[in-house]
Amino acid sequence: MKSLFIPKECNPEETRVALIPADAEKFVKAGWSVNVESSAGVKSGFADADYQKAGAKIVDAAFLKEAQFVASVGKPTKESIEARKPGSFHLSLLDPFNEKELLKDFAAHGVNAASFEMIPRSTIAQKMDVLSSQSNLAGYYAVIKAAETINKAIPMMMTPAGTISPLKFFIVGVGVAGLQAIATAKRLGGRVEAFDTRPVVEEQVKSLGAKFVKIDLGETGQTAQGYAKELTPEQIELQRKGMAKVCAQADVIITTAKVFGRKAPRIITAEMVSGMKPGSVIVDMAAESGGNVEGTVAGKEITTENGVLILGIKNLEGRIPASASQMFSANVRNFIEHFSTPEDGFKLDIENPILKSAVVVYDGKITDERFK
Ligand code: NAD
């Protein structure tokens, strides 16, 4: 395969694009035919003319019929899958744990599909890992959004008119997003505390100059892929108790806690929120997977009775779509290049360990029992 198609995103709320002109140019130089649906990049700041300058062709949606390799940010619609030819390849975020019907559609139409979520978290695959590249930006943006929303200044200021003490941040969940949130809050001059159930992150938190909140939950740990293991109900209760005081003192809480393939853990209860100061802000980064905070509504800003603002912003990285698309596009390019030869372009070698995990539909079949 040496022909690439970048359709417009099927979700009208998506602001990112899967390939930016600079990466399109690299493919064109390597002899690929790059086809981009008209206005696919506009929301992230890339005009059709930029793609044309890079050597790509601007086409309409009907190009799907002849597309070989299709890359997008979000999942396609059923109609989009039905329009494709058998044997073509699709790459995007697919949310395979929750989109079983969509996978059936791919299988029924003989379209092979790879899910970015299922790329293994190995050193070699890091360059293709959109979960990391996008979480990093989302963690950054969560802090920027909180900073813009909160009614206080962030850094300590000593002035003749008095001293302003630094804003207190509490970051819950220290994966990729949490680490970037800590780093961003520190850069802005905040005082930062953080907690994660994986004890290994304590060192990382400290190295960013933040304080690790210690709560003894007994046996926790992580999977071989570095993901958190799900806590027992008793452990969640212990965690809530341990966190209540830190929450009450925090001006900003950013929750990023996720458990791979499961609903996000509900960590902050309404009672804990009711103990917070009026004007405090919570950004629940797990809003779309169920929320870490009781009272979060995905896509909404909720003010509680005691004046705490809970932001359930969806697609945080999509608020900075030029940067997010740049990273996403590099991940797409790295994926394709990794499995390509100069002569033949992309080759789907299903025995390759990365593809074995990422390809969720192959040859008319769903490859993983968990998605059937
Ligand atoms: P994630 O988005 O799945 O979860 C975010 C964080 O929430 C994790 O740190 C998790 O431990 C934490 N969490 C889960 N339940 C919690 C709870 N009840 N309370 C508090 N925190 C809770 O995680 P992620 O950002 O994808 O990162 C997970 C791990 O994978 C990290 O160790 C990261 O360094 C690693 N990783 C490795 C690679 C690679 O090797 N290529 C790439 C990306 C991430």
Side-chain angles (χ1 to χ4, degrees), residues 189-231:
R191 182 179 294 161
V192 187
E193 295 188 86
F195 176 72
D196 196 295
T197 53
R198 292 179 299 124
V200 294
V201 305
E202 179 172 352
E203 278 310 308
Q204 299 166 22
V205 169
K206 284 186 183 157
S207 73
L208 288 169
K211 188 178 158 208
F212 188 74
V213 174
K214 281 202 183 206
I215 305 169
D216 185 7
L217 301 178
E219 179 73 22
T220 51
Q222 60 182 11
T223 65
Q225 292 258 332
Y227 289 114
K229 290 189 181 149
E230 198 169 24
L231 298 184

Coordinates of all heavy atoms in Angstrom, one line a residue, residues 189-231:
G189 N 3.8 28.2 39.0 CA 4.1 28.7 40.4 C 3.2 28.1 41.4 O 3.1 28.6 42.6
G190 N 2.4 27.0 41.1 CA 1.5 26.4 42.1 C 2.2 25.6 43.1 O 3.4 25.2 42.9
R191 N 1.5 25.3 44.2 CA 2.1 24.3 45.1 C 1.3 23.0 44.8 O 0.1 23.0 44.8 CB 1.8 24.8 46.5 CG 2.3 23.8 47.6 CD 2.0 24.4 49.0 NE 2.7 25.6 49.3 CZ 2.4 26.5 50.2 NH1 1.3 26.2 51.0 NH2 3.1 27.6 50.4
V192 N 2.0 21.9 44.5 CA 1.4 20.8 44.0 C 1.5 19.5 44.8 O 2.7 19.2 45.2 CB 1.9 20.5 42.5 CG1 1.1 19.3 41.9 CG2 1.9 21.7 41.7
E193 N 0.4 18.8 45.1 CA 0.4 17.5 45.7 C -0.2 16.5 44.7 O -1.0 16.9 43.9 CB -0.4 17.5 47.0 CG 0.2 18.4 48.0 CD -0.5 18.3 49.4 OE1 -0.1 17.4 50.1 OE2 -1.4 19.1 49.6
A194 N 0.2 15.3 44.8 CA -0.3 14.3 43.8 C -0.4 12.9 44.5 O 0.3 12.6 45.5 CB 0.7 14.2 42.6
F195 N -1.3 12.1 43.9 CA -1.5 10.8 44.4 C -1.8 9.8 43.3 O -2.4 10.2 42.3 CB -2.6 10.7 45.4 CG -2.9 9.3 45.9 CD1 -2.0 8.7 46.7 CD2 -4.0 8.5 45.4 CE1 -2.2 7.3 47.1 CE2 -4.2 7.2 45.8 CZ -3.3 6.6 46.7
D196 N -1.2 8.6 43.4 CA -1.5 7.5 42.5 C -1.4 6.2 43.2 O -0.7 6.1 44.2 CB -0.5 7.6 41.3 CG -0.9 6.7 40.1 OD1 -1.1 5.5 40.3 OD2 -1.1 7.3 39.1
T197 N -2.2 5.2 42.8 CA -2.2 3.9 43.4 C -0.9 3.1 43.1 O -0.6 2.2 43.8 CB -3.4 3.1 43.0 OG1 -3.4 3.0 41.6 CG2 -4.7 3.7 43.5
R198 N -0.2 3.5 42.1 CA 1.0 2.8 41.7 C 2.2 3.5 42.5 O 2.5 4.6 42.2 CB 1.3 2.9 40.2 CG 0.3 2.1 39.4 CD 0.5 2.2 37.9 NE 0.5 3.6 37.4 CZ 1.5 4.2 36.8 NH1 2.6 3.6 36.6 NH2 1.3 5.4 36.4
P199 N 2.7 2.8 43.5 CA 3.7 3.4 44.3 C 5.0 3.8 43.5 O 5.7 4.7 44.0 CB 4.1 2.3 45.3 CG 3.1 1.2 45.1 CD 2.4 1.4 43.8
V200 N 5.2 3.2 42.4 CA 6.4 3.6 41.6 C 6.4 5.0 41.2 O 7.5 5.6 40.8 CB 6.6 2.7 40.3 CG1 6.8 1.3 40.6 CG2 5.4 2.8 39.4
V201 N 5.3 5.7 41.2 CA 5.3 7.1 40.7 C 5.8 8.1 41.7 O 6.0 9.2 41.4 CB 3.9 7.5 40.1 CG1 3.4 6.6 39.0 CG2 2.9 7.7 41.2
E202 N 5.9 7.6 42.9 CA 6.3 8.6 44.0 C 7.6 9.3 43.6 O 7.7 10.6 43.7 CB 6.5 7.8 45.3 CG 6.9 8.8 46.4 CD 7.0 8.2 47.8 OE1 6.5 7.0 48.0 OE2 7.4 8.9 48.7
E203 N 8.6 8.6 43.1 CA 9.9 9.2 42.7 C 9.7 10.3 41.6 O 10.3 11.3 41.6 CB 10.8 8.1 42.2 CG 11.6 7.4 43.3 CD 12.2 8.4 44.3 OE1 12.9 9.3 43.9 OE2 11.9 8.2 45.6
Q204 N 8.8 9.9 40.6 CA 8.5 10.8 39.5 C 7.9 12.1 40.0 O 8.2 13.2 39.6 CB 7.7 10.2 38.5 CG 8.3 8.9 37.9 CD 7.3 8.0 37.1 OE1 6.3 8.5 36.6 NE2 7.6 6.8 36.9
V205 N 7.0 12.0 40.9 CA 6.3 13.1 41.5 C 7.3 14.0 42.2 O 7.3 15.3 42.0 CB 5.2 12.7 42.5 CG1 4.6 13.9 43.3 CG2 4.0 12.0 41.7
K206 N 8.2 13.4 43.0 CA 9.1 14.2 43.7 C 10.1 14.9 42.8 O 10.5 16.0 43.0 CB 9.9 13.3 44.7 CG 9.1 12.9 45.9 CD 10.0 12.1 46.9 CE 9.2 11.7 48.1 NZ 9.9 10.5 48.7
S207 N 10.5 14.2 41.7 CA 11.5 14.8 40.8 C 10.9 16.0 40.1 O 11.7 16.8 39.6 CB 12.0 13.7 39.8 OG 11.0 13.5 38.8
L208 N 9.6 16.1 40.1 CA 9.0 17.4 39.5 C 8.8 18.4 40.5 O 8.2 19.5 40.2 CB 7.7 17.0 38.8 CG 7.7 16.2 37.5 CD1 6.4 15.7 37.1 CD2 8.3 17.0 36.4
G209 N 9.2 18.2 41.7 CA 9.1 19.2 42.8 C 7.8 19.2 43.5 O 7.5 20.2 44.2
A210 N 7.0 18.2 43.3 CA 5.7 18.1 43.9 C 5.7 17.1 45.1 O 6.7 16.4 45.3 CB 4.6 17.7 42.9
K211 N 4.7 17.2 45.9 CA 4.7 16.3 47.1 C 3.8 15.1 46.8 O 2.7 15.3 46.3 CB 4.1 17.1 48.3 CG 4.2 16.4 49.6 CD 3.7 17.2 50.7 CE 3.2 16.3 51.9 NZ 2.2 16.9 52.7
F212 N 4.2 13.9 47.2 CA 3.4 12.7 47.0 C 2.6 12.5 48.2 O 3.1 12.4 49.3 CB 4.3 11.5 46.7 CG 3.5 10.3 46.3 CD1 3.0 10.2 45.0 CD2 3.4 9.2 47.2 CE1 2.2 9.1 44.6 CE2 2.6 8.1 46.8 CZ 2.1 8.0 45.5
V213 N 1.3 12.4 48.1 CA 0.4 12.1 49.2 C 0.4 10.6 49.5 O 0.1 9.8 48.6 CB -1.0 12.6 48.9 CG1 -2.0 12.2 50.0 CG2 -1.1 14.0 48.6
K214 N 0.8 10.2 50.7 CA 1.0 8.8 51.0 C -0.3 8.3 51.6 O -0.8 8.8 52.6 CB 2.1 8.6 52.0 CG 3.4 8.6 51.3 CD 4.5 7.9 52.1 CE 5.8 8.1 51.3 NZ 6.8 7.2 51.4
I215 N -0.9 7.3 51.0 CA -2.1 6.6 51.6 C -1.8 5.1 51.5 O -1.5 4.6 50.4 CB -3.4 6.9 50.8 CG1 -3.6 8.4 50.7 CG2 -4.6 6.3 51.5 CD1 -4.7 8.9 49.8
D216 N -1.9 4.4 52.6 CA -1.6 3.0 52.6 C -2.8 2.2 52.1 O -3.8 2.1 52.9 CB -1.1 2.5 53.9 CG -0.7 1.0 53.9 OD1 -0.6 0.5 52.8 OD2 -0.4 0.5 55.0
L217 N -2.8 1.6 50.9 CA -4.0 0.9 50.4 C -3.7 -0.6 50.4 O -4.5 -1.4 49.9 CB -4.3 1.4 49.0 CG -4.6 2.8 48.8 CD1 -4.8 3.1 47.3 CD2 -5.8 3.3 49.6
G218 N -2.6 -1.0 51.0 CA -2.2 -2.4 50.9 C -1.7 -2.7 49.5 O -1.1 -1.9 48.8
E219 N -2.0 -4.0 49.1 CA -1.4 -4.4 47.8 C -2.1 -3.7 46.6 O -3.3 -3.7 46.4 CB -1.7 -5.9 47.7 CG -1.3 -6.6 46.4 CD 0.2 -6.8 46.3 OE1 0.9 -6.8 47.4 OE2 0.7 -6.9 45.2
T220 N -1.3 -2.9 45.8 CA -1.9 -2.3 44.6 C -1.2 -2.7 43.4 O -1.5 -3.7 42.7 CB -1.9 -0.7 44.7 OG1 -0.6 -0.3 45.1 CG2 -2.9 -0.3 45.8
G221 N -0.1 -2.0 43.0 CA 0.7 -2.4 41.9 C 0.2 -2.0 40.5 O -0.8 -1.3 40.4
Q222 N 0.9 -2.6 39.5 CA 0.6 -2.3 38.1 C 0.7 -3.5 37.2 O 1.4 -4.5 37.6 CB 1.4 -1.1 37.6 CG 2.9 -1.4 37.6 CD 3.7 -0.2 37.1 OE1 3.2 0.9 37.0 NE2 5.0 -0.4 36.9
T223 N 0.1 -3.5 36.1 CA 0.2 -4.6 35.1 C 1.6 -4.5 34.4 O 2.3 -3.5 34.5 CB -0.9 -4.5 34.1 OG1 -0.7 -3.3 33.3 CG2 -2.3 -4.4 34.7
A224 N 1.9 -5.5 33.6 CA 3.1 -5.6 32.9 C 3.2 -4.4 31.9 O 4.3 -3.9 31.6 CB 3.2 -6.9 32.1
Q225 N 2.1 -3.9 31.5 CA 2.1 -2.7 30.6 C 2.2 -1.4 31.3 O 2.2 -0.3 30.7 CB 0.8 -2.7 29.7 CG 0.7 -3.9 28.8 CD 1.0 -3.4 27.3 OE1 0.7 -2.3 27.0 NE2 1.5 -4.3 26.5
G226 N 2.2 -1.4 32.6 CA 2.4 -0.2 33.4 C 1.1 0.4 33.8 O 1.0 1.5 34.4
Y227 N -0.1 -0.3 33.5 CA -1.4 0.3 33.9 C -1.7 -0.1 35.3 O -1.3 -1.1 35.8 CB -2.5 -0.2 33.0 CG -2.4 0.3 31.6 CD1 -2.1 -0.5 30.5 CD2 -2.7 1.6 31.3 CE1 -2.1 0.0 29.2 CE2 -2.7 2.1 30.0 CZ -2.4 1.3 29.0 OH -2.4 1.8 27.7
A228 N -2.5 0.8 35.9 CA -3.0 0.5 37.3 C -3.9 -0.7 37.4 O -4.6 -0.9 36.4 CB -3.7 1.7 37.9
K229 N -3.8 -1.5 38.5 CA -4.8 -2.5 38.7 C -6.0 -1.9 39.3 O -5.9 -1.0 40.1 CB -4.2 -3.6 39.5 CG -3.1 -4.4 38.8 CD -2.6 -5.6 39.6 CE -1.5 -6.4 38.9 NZ -0.6 -7.0 39.8
E230 N -7.1 -2.5 39.1 CA -8.4 -2.0 39.7 C -8.4 -2.2 41.2 O -8.0 -3.3 41.7 CB -9.6 -2.7 39.1 CG -10.9 -2.0 39.3 CD -12.0 -2.6 38.4 OE1 -11.9 -3.8 38.0 OE2 -13.0 -1.8 38.2
L231 N -8.8 -1.2 41.9 CA -8.8 -1.4 43.4 C -10.1 -2.1 43.8 O -11.1 -2.1 43.2 CB -8.8 0.0 44.1 CG -7.6 0.9 43.8 CD1 -7.8 2.2 44.6 CD2 -6.3 0.3 44.1

